[in-house]
Amino acid sequence: QVQLVESGGGLVQPGGSLNLSCTASGRNVRIYIMGWYRQAPGKQRELVANTGSSSGNYADSVKGRFTISRDYIKNTVFLQMDALKPEDTATYYCHADHPYLPAKESWGQGAQVTVSS
């Protein structure tokens, strides 16, 4: 497995922006599909975005507002969040998905994002 460390959460006003970072360590990080999930209280964890396609895969609720990017040299994945809404409030988790070995799946520790005026 790889180990994931997240940073960049915080409190922002509606319409504001945040950038989340997730740095991975371990073996063969480059072959993993990287992504971001989020979970609000009382809700199921949902996929926000991942790198499974050349343009990125996005939940409909964040499409056009969030952008996932990846630095293969630094083993870091980012989630740029713009035009934030109160409904984006959640704990955001970085995720690493091995392409064919599900036992090697890894999760970050979570970063709290709160959007409120």
Side-chain angles (χ1 to χ4, degrees), residues 31-76:
I31 75 172
Y32 285 74
I33 297 171
M34 304 297 298
W36 294 92
Y37 289 72
R38 68 185 181 187
Q39 188 167 25
K43 304 290 186 179
Q44 290 186 308
R45 187 171 298 187
E46 64 174 346
L47 174 69
V48 177
N50 69 23
T51 62
S53 70
S54 60
S55 60
N57 299 314
Y58 297 91
D60 288 341
S61 60
V62 308
K63 194 171 298 182
R65 300 188 297 119
F66 291 10
T67 303
I68 189 169
S69 61
R70 185 170 182 173
D71 186 331
Y72 283 91
I73 302 302
K74 296 183 180 295
N75 288 335
T76 301

Side-chain angles (χ1 to χ4, degrees), residues 87-106:
E87 51 263 44
D88 296 318
T89 296
T91 302
Y92 285 71
Y93 296 91
C94 183
H95 181 250
D97 190 12
H98 194 281
Y100 60 91
L101 296 176
K104 291 186 176 294
E105 175 187 47
S106 295

